[in-house]
Amino acid sequence: MVKARRETRLIVPLFIPNEGCPHRCIYCNQEKVTERSAPLEREAIKEIINASIESEKYRRARIKEIAFFGGTFTNLSEERIVYYLESVRPYIKDGMFQWIRVSTRPDTVTPDVLEIMKEYGVRVVEIGAQSMDDNVLRLSRRGHTVSDIIQAVNLLKENGFYAGIQLMPGLPGDTKERFISGLERVIELRPYSLRLYPALVLKGTVLHRWFREGRYSPLDVEEAVEICADACMMLEDNGIPVIRIGLFNSPSLLKDGEVVAGPWHQAFGHLVRSRIYQRRITPFLAGIQKGSSIILRVRREEEPLLRGYKNQEIKKLEQRMGIRITSIILDEEIEYGEIRIEQ
C-alpha cells in the first residue's frame, strides 16, 4: 500500500498567456484559463508574490517555488526572459523561495537559453508534451514530435535541471490504450513530476469548431477519471509524482458557455484521487459477505477520499460490494492508505 503524501510544496503561478508561443494550439484559450490577456509587468508580479507570502499555505510549505506558466518561456526573447527572472530574483536571493519553475514547448529548449535560466535560479522546467504519440501530436497541430520531447527532457537533465512533463489525455486521435502506452515512454524518461490536463473544448478554439462539425468527440468525466486514475497509479507506483490533475478553476472558466464540452469538473483532481483510494482499499473488503453492515475506521485526512465528491464514491463502493457502511470512525492509528473493518 502506497503511503499518502502530505503537501509541503507551494508553487506561486505567474501566468504569461501565449507569450513566446509560435502559434495557437487547437485546444488553447490561455486568456480564459489564466484570466490574463496582457503581459505581466514587474509591479503585478510583486503583488502576486507578496500576497502569497502572507498566506497560510506559505507558512506551512517546506518547499516554495515561483513559476511562470501559460506561455513558451524558452522561446521568449533573451531580454524578456531576463526581465521576468530579474523581477523574481530578489525573492530567491533572500531565501523566501527556493527556486523558479517555468513551462515551455519541447522544441524550444536549447543549451544557450538553459545557461541563462540556470544563472537566475530556474531549477524546474516543465515540458508541454501533451502526448507521447506522434499521430496525436500531428492531429493536434502541436508542431513538434515525440523525439523533441525525449531530446528536451534529456537535455534538461544533462544541464542539471529537474524536468517535468505535462500530458493531455483525450486529444484528437487519442485512445485510452494509446495514452497508457505512451506512459511507458514517460516512465523511461524518469521525469521529476507530471501534470495531467484532460482535453477540454473551450469556446473559440479550433477544437470548438471541430466539435461543432462532428470531427471531434471529447472524453466524458467518467472516462477521464478512469484514464487519469490508471495513469496516476502507473506513474506514482514507478516513483513519478503527479502534482496536478485538471485545469485550475479560474473564474473565467466557471462562466456559462466557456467550457463547451469535455471532462470539466470543479473537483476533477479530487474525483481521480478518490477513485484511486477506492481501488487501493477494495482488497480490505474482499472477505466481507454481501448484505453485511459494517463500520470503517480510517485516518481523518483520508475520509474525503473514502466518501468522494458529494459522497458519490462511498455509495458506489456499497453498491459494488453489496454492503452497507453504517458509520465511519476517524482513527489516527490507522496507517495511510489502509482501513479497518468492524461488524
Side-chain angles (χ1 to χ4, degrees):
M1 185 63 64
V2 176
K3 184 176 178 178
R5 302 180 182 185
R6 296 186 180 185
E7 181 58 60
T8 59
R9 182 185 302 272
L10 171 67
I11 300 175
V12 179
L14 301 173
F15 292 110
I16 54 170
N18 298 117
E19 281 198 73
C21 294
H23 63 269
R24 185 69 66 97
C25 296
I26 63 168
Y27 50 79
C28 184
N29 190 337
Q30 280 289 328
E31 290 83 357
K32 294 298 181 183
V33 172
T34 66
E35 274 207 302
R36 179 170 290 278
S37 57
L40 268 178
E41 300 303 333
R42 190 157 286 161
E43 285 307 310
I45 290 172
K46 289 180 180 178
E47 287 179 14
I48 294 168
I49 296 175
N50 290 340
S52 76
I53 291 171
E54 298 299 319
S55 70
E56 180 62 28
K57 286 185 178 179
Y58 180 89
R59 288 186 284 273
R60 290 201 313 264
R62 182 175 61 86
I63 298 174
K64 305 174 181 71
E65 304 178 43
I66 297 170
F68 290 95
F69 290 144
T72 303
F73 198 86
T74 54
N75 203 40
L76 296 171
S77 67
E78 181 177 337
E79 179 184 12
R80 196 63 178 165
I81 289 174
V82 171
Y83 176 86
Y84 279 135
L85 297 181
E86 283 280 9
S87 298
V88 302
R89 192 177 204 173
Y91 297 96
I92 305 298
K93 289 181 68 175
D94 291 346
M96 304 178 79
F97 289 84
Q98 279 89 347
W99 61 69
I100 302 166
R101 174 186 297 251
V102 304
S103 64
T104 196
R105 291 171 57 92
D107 52 343
T108 64
V109 177
T110 65
D112 288 344
V113 75
L114 293 184
E115 192 63 35
I116 296 170
M117 296 197 303
K118 185 183 294 186
E119 180 184 344
Y120 282 90
V122 177
R123 192 165 179 184
V124 183
V125 179
E126 295 192 20
I127 297 298
Q130 317 315 3
S131 175
M132 297 300 289
D133 183 277
D134 278 327
N135 188 52
V136 174
L137 293 173
R138 180 183 60 80
L139 291 172
S140 300
R141 299 179 183 174
R142 282 291 294 167
H144 66 78
T145 65
V146 173
S147 178
D148 292 323
I149 298 166
I150 295 169
Q151 183 176 336
V153 171
N154 288 334
L155 184 60
L156 287 166
K157 288 183 172 185
E158 289 166 7
N159 283 272
F161 290 87
Y162 291 124
I165 290 179
Q166 301 169 2
L167 294 175
M168 296 184 70
L171 286 169
D174 203 7
T175 64
K176 179 177 180 179
E177 293 73 25
R178 192 167 289 153
F179 183 78
I180 295 300
S181 176
L183 293 179
E184 295 285 357
R185 306 186 79 173
V186 170
I187 291 168
E188 290 174 4
L189 287 172
R190 308 304 304 174
Y192 173 67
S193 62
L194 196 130
R195 295 177 190 263
L196 292 170
Y197 298 122
L200 300 174
V201 179
L202 302 182
K203 183 179 178 182
T205 61
V206 172
L207 211 54
H208 181 193
R209 174 163 57 82
W210 288 2
F211 175 72
R212 288 200 315 263
E213 295 170 353
R215 296 171 58 187
Y216 171 70
S217 297
L219 299 171
D220 61 30
V221 171
E222 180 60 24
E223 289 172 325
V225 167
E226 281 292 303
I227 290 172
C228 288
D230 287 344
C232 285
M233 294 178 74
M234 186 174 174
L235 291 161
E236 292 181 342
D237 285 351
N238 280 279
I240 301 168
V242 178
I243 62 173
R244 178 79 194 180
I245 310 169
L247 287 178
F248 294 95
N249 290 327
S250 72
S252 294
L253 279 184
L254 298 178
K255 294 179 181 176
D256 287 343
E258 294 300 337
V259 179
V260 178
W264 171 248
H265 194 288
Q266 291 185 51
F268 185 79
H270 180 61
L271 295 182
V272 174
R273 289 296 177 189
S274 184
R275 183 64 53 84
I276 293 169
Y277 184 79
Q278 296 293 326
R279 293 182 182 181
R280 300 282 195 196
I281 67 169
T282 295
F284 291 96
L285 300 165
I288 304 300
Q289 193 172 23
K290 286 191 175 183
S292 298
S293 294
I294 63 172
I295 297 170
L296 293 184
R297 288 183 175 271
V298 301
R299 292 189 68 88
R300 179 181 300 276
E301 54 266 59
E302 293 186 337
E303 183 188 12
L305 296 175
L306 173 63
R307 292 188 178 278
Y309 181 73
K310 295 185 177 180
N311 284 317
Q312 290 175 2
E313 290 297 327
I314 197 169
K315 291 176 182 176
K316 289 179 183 177
L317 179 64
E318 289 179 316
Q319 292 170 359
R320 186 171 70 251
M321 304 300 296
I323 58 176
R324 182 168 176 263
I325 299 170
T326 58
S327 180
I328 298 172
I329 298 174
L330 306 182
D331 187 340
E332 299 311 302
E333 294 184 3
I334 303 290
E335 291 293 320
Y336 285 99
E338 295 186 4
I339 59 173
R340 290 181 188 167
I341 302 163
E342 298 177 2
Q343 291 184 276

